[in-house]
Amino acid sequence: MDVNGRDSLDLVVVADLHYVGRAKRTCPILERNAHLGNELLRRALRRLELSSPPDVLVLMGDLVDDGEAPGAEEDLEALREELEGLSFPVIVVPGNHDGDPDRLLSTFGDRPGVHEFEGYLLLTFVDWYDPQDRAERSGDGLKLVSDVASSHPGVPIVALQHNPVYPPIESTYPYNLTNFREVMKAYSESGVVLSISGHLHRGHELTYADGVGYVVCPALCEEPFRFLRITLRGRDVSVREEALKLPEEPSLVDVHVHTHYAYCASTVTTSGAMERAEKFGLSGIMFTEHAGQLYVSSEDYWSGRFMEEPHLLRRYRNEGKDRMRVYRKEMEELRSSFVKLGLEVEIDRYGNLSLLEEDADGWDLLVGAVHKLPQVHSKDEERGFMEVTESLLKNGVRVLAHPFRFFRRNGMEVPRCLFRPIARLLKDYGVAAELNFHTNEPDPDFFETCLEEGVKVALGSDAHDLYEVGDFAPHLEFLRRLGLEGDDMKEVLFFP
Ligand SMILES: [Zn+2]
Ligand SMILES: [Zn+2]
Ligand SMILES: [Zn+2]
């Protein structure tokens, strides 16, 4: 093999998902969050795509909790689908829970043995398990390392296997390869740079023995949902751990979460969102359903008729066809110090909130949004946008949802000349600007202007899908790029 390339490699390692979706299997260990496996993978992948994608992703085995359970192949297939369209390749290493290693590898279009990336050789091992879960490296496996080393002199080798090789793990359960000393000898003699494993869910930091680095990736399925970013520069190795769970400081509240009442909802449910909010480390969650959607049919909502003919709201109410009161009743049962309830409201053609008078009070939070402008503003959209925004602020909303998304969504240029006037309006009315990445790219210049004017920033996932709840990594990164850290960040965050 002709191995050329630069002498650096960025790896991301994800281990131990233990996913159970459709398989007939109940994972007995709750900490494994088996039902979240595919979602954890999706969250990790989104994180990679939004920050810095690696040269290669390694899935370190135990993708499912029981590969032999009926239906496990569907779960593997669901995980494979999560990988579609990635901008980087994926290597899969079979684990003891995955069932037949050949099926696993063929599902993901991979194979054991040598993979070459950027001047590095990555060797995937399929170790053999006895009925007591003890894993052993075969003679062929041991020979592969020395064969590859002698046929590629000087090319750095990275060894990948599910079970830890080194250090020896003190436990009644056999974590290490049984013949790990032989494996270590082979790695050292062949000049292996780094050996990466999974399987030990708590993970183990990078440790050197006989010139070889050994690292164990923690399980993605257990809190705080960690994975590893590994950078190789020549033979230098650096390992950085990243967690999907939010840091404890600053405490963060998601001010914009939808429910199954939304016509545009995909998988979001109140119970699912609350579970995620806690697991991913939020200190509160606010359900803010589209008010217009709670009054009228999906047709009358999407056509904008509810804002052009606001008397429709009353008509739906009189005919007993609106869902506002059942929504409120259901949400009130969930209300706690952690869960708050609100609405995402819009402005009708007369400049009023699309909300009936008797429904206006008693919410913890109104989030105001411009999704569409009433037709009276079609001649001058910039002016209309200003007017509608001011109407929202006048009418008691405390957060302006996804400012300026209206323009981008409608294929219009964002009127940057309105950044300052909108920021001033927000300041005057004491309303926070929402940082929102749901089908949206917030403009740093607008938020810069908000900070200059002393406007607070609210964090919203605008979740219509469960995997969005509590995913504030992009938000925090955005604020850091604006120069906000620690207490400075706390200072500007809106707290309901
Ligand atoms: Zn495992
Ligand atoms: Zn929606
Ligand atoms: Zn929304």
Side-chain angles (χ1 to χ4, degrees):
M1 194 191 305
D2 184 9
V3 180
N4 286 310
R6 48 170 231 241
D7 62 348
S8 75
L9 183 70
D10 291 324
L11 289 173
V12 165
V13 184
V14 166
D16 295 270
L17 296 169
H18 288 269
Y19 180 44
V20 179
R22 309 186 73 158
K24 288 203 172 39
R25 156 84 176 168
T26 307
C27 177
I29 301 169
L30 288 178
E31 296 79 64
R32 284 186 187 165
N33 298 293
H35 63 298
L36 294 180
N38 62 336
E39 186 183 316
L40 290 166
L41 180 60
R42 184 183 300 191
R43 285 173 182 256
L45 295 173
R46 264 168 58 91
R47 181 81 66 94
L48 301 182
E49 290 285 9
L50 282 170
S51 52
S52 42
D55 295 314
V56 54
L57 167 68
V58 182
L59 297 179
M60 202 43 91
D62 286 1
L63 303 190
V64 290
D65 195 56
D66 182 1
E68 270 146 37
E73 63 284 351
E74 288 177 61
D75 292 347
L76 288 171
E77 181 55 27
L79 293 171
R80 191 202 56 77
E81 281 171 17
E82 297 292 341
L83 304 175
E84 276 175 12
L86 288 181
S87 62
F88 43 84
V90 181
I91 290 183
V92 177
V93 180
N96 56 313
H97 284 259
D98 291 318
D100 179 4
D102 291 333
R103 177 193 63 181
L104 178 82
L105 290 168
S106 69
T107 302
F108 289 87
D110 201 358
R111 56 181 167 68
V114 186
H115 302 71
E116 186 271 315
F117 293 99
E118 308 292 347
Y120 286 80
L121 295 172
L122 275 56
L123 302 192
T124 311
F125 293 98
V126 179
D127 293 314
W128 180 81
Y129 292 93
D130 77 4
Q132 278 75 47
D133 244 9
R134 281 184 300 233
E136 186 183 280
R137 176 71 40 91
S138 68
D140 284 350
L142 289 167
K143 198 165 160 296
L144 177 69
V145 195
S146 53
D147 286 354
V148 167
S150 52
S151 59
H152 301 82
V155 181
I157 296 172
V158 178
L160 309 170
Q161 61 276 307
H162 184 63
N163 285 61
V165 177
Y166 180 83
I169 309 300
E170 289 288 339
S171 172
T172 51
Y173 177 82
Y175 281 105
N176 295 82
L177 288 168
T178 50
N179 53 344
F180 72 92
R181 287 186 205 285
E182 276 179 274
V183 176
M184 288 175 74
K185 188 162 172 283
Y187 285 1
S188 172
E189 285 172 1
S190 306
V192 168
V193 175
L194 177 66
S195 159
I196 312 174
S197 302
H199 193 54
L200 175 69
H201 285 197
R202 64 174 184 267
H204 197 286
E205 64 188 356
L206 179 64
T207 313
Y208 282 87
D210 307 324
V212 181
Y214 292 90
V215 66
V216 181
C217 180
L220 187 71
C221 66
E222 293 185 15
E223 285 186 42
F225 313 114
R226 292 171 292 169
F227 61 92
L228 298 181
R229 288 187 187 264
I230 299 179
T231 303
L232 293 139
R233 299 268 176 271
R235 296 184 60 88
D236 285 344
V237 181
S238 73
V239 177
R240 190 156 58 87
E241 208 175 82
E242 216 170 297
L244 296 179
K245 185 166 180 163
L246 292 162
E248 268 169 40
E249 283 287 321
S251 62
L252 302 173
V253 173
D254 192 338
V255 301
H256 190 165
V257 178
H258 288 280
T259 71
H260 56 283
Y261 281 93
Y263 296 137
C264 39
S266 48
T267 59
V268 74
T269 60
T270 50
S271 58
M274 284 154 61
E275 183 195 4
R276 270 99 181 145
E278 286 186 36
K279 282 203 190 295
F280 293 101
L282 291 177
S283 47
I285 182 172
M286 316 204 68
F287 290 112
T288 49
E289 197 48 272
H290 294 288
Q293 296 188 15
L294 293 169
Y295 284 113
V296 302
S297 68
S298 99
E299 201 191 334
D300 284 339
Y301 179 77
W302 296 116
S303 65
R305 207 175 149 213
F306 77 103
M307 49 170 63
E308 301 302 335
E309 302 169 43
H311 63 274
L312 274 182
L313 274 52
R314 175 65 59 201
R315 191 196 298 165
Y316 272 81
R317 168 62 49 86
N318 289 345
E319 291 172 3
K321 289 196 294 192
D322 77 294
R323 303 176 300 154
M324 180 61 83
R325 286 176 296 186
V326 284
Y327 166 76
R328 193 201 281 256
K329 189 161 178 290
E330 192 177 324
M331 293 304 123
E332 271 170 356
E333 279 159 26
L334 303 175
R335 195 185 242 153
S336 68
S337 57
F338 189 76
V339 180
K340 301 289 177 202
L341 64 129
L343 291 170
E344 181 173 11
V345 292
E346 291 163 84
I347 290 295
D348 68 24
R349 61 164 300 172
Y350 302 111
N352 300 316
L353 287 188
S354 43
L355 196 57
L356 291 176
E357 221 181 295
E358 63 265 39
D359 299 327
D361 295 327
W363 305 100
D364 299 309
L365 181 74
L366 295 182
V367 169
V370 183
H371 295 118
K372 211 179 174 84
L373 288 177
Q375 276 164 18
V376 287
H377 299 296
S378 59
K379 290 268 179 321
D380 186 345
E381 271 145 337
E382 292 185 13
R383 193 167 147 195
F385 182 77
M386 283 299 290
E387 278 182 31
V388 168
T389 301
E390 184 155 15
S391 299
L392 284 168
L393 307 189
K394 259 187 213 160
N395 279 287
V397 313
R398 291 172 60 214
V399 172
L400 181 64
H402 44 72
F404 294 99
R405 188 179 81 182
F406 165 79
F407 294 98
R408 201 174 282 110
R409 271 272 185 98
N410 289 288
M412 290 180 260
E413 185 142 350
V414 175
R416 306 175 64 83
C417 58
L418 297 185
F419 285 180
R420 182 73 59 184
I422 291 279
R424 291 212 168 124
L425 275 183
L426 289 168
K427 175 64 185 168
D428 289 347
Y429 287 96
V431 172
E434 183 199 43
L435 190 53
N436 173 323
F437 287 83
H438 176 79
T439 65
N440 188 35
E441 285 167 58
D443 193 309
D445 292 343
F446 172 66
F447 281 89
E448 188 89 53
T449 312
C450 285
L451 296 179
E452 283 167 17
E453 296 292 338
V455 173
K456 297 265 187 191
V457 177
L459 306 191
S461 66
D462 203 352
H464 290 69
D465 200 313
L466 285 172
Y467 74 84
E468 298 175 285
V469 178
D471 184 7
F472 280 159
H475 303 64
L476 295 178
E477 182 58 27
F478 185 96
L479 293 175
R480 270 182 222 116
R481 287 195 188 158
L482 291 180
L484 295 169
E485 294 274 6
D487 285 348
D488 291 344
M489 193 189 287
K490 265 194 215 168
E491 190 95 334
V492 305
L493 288 176
F494 166 82
F495 244 80

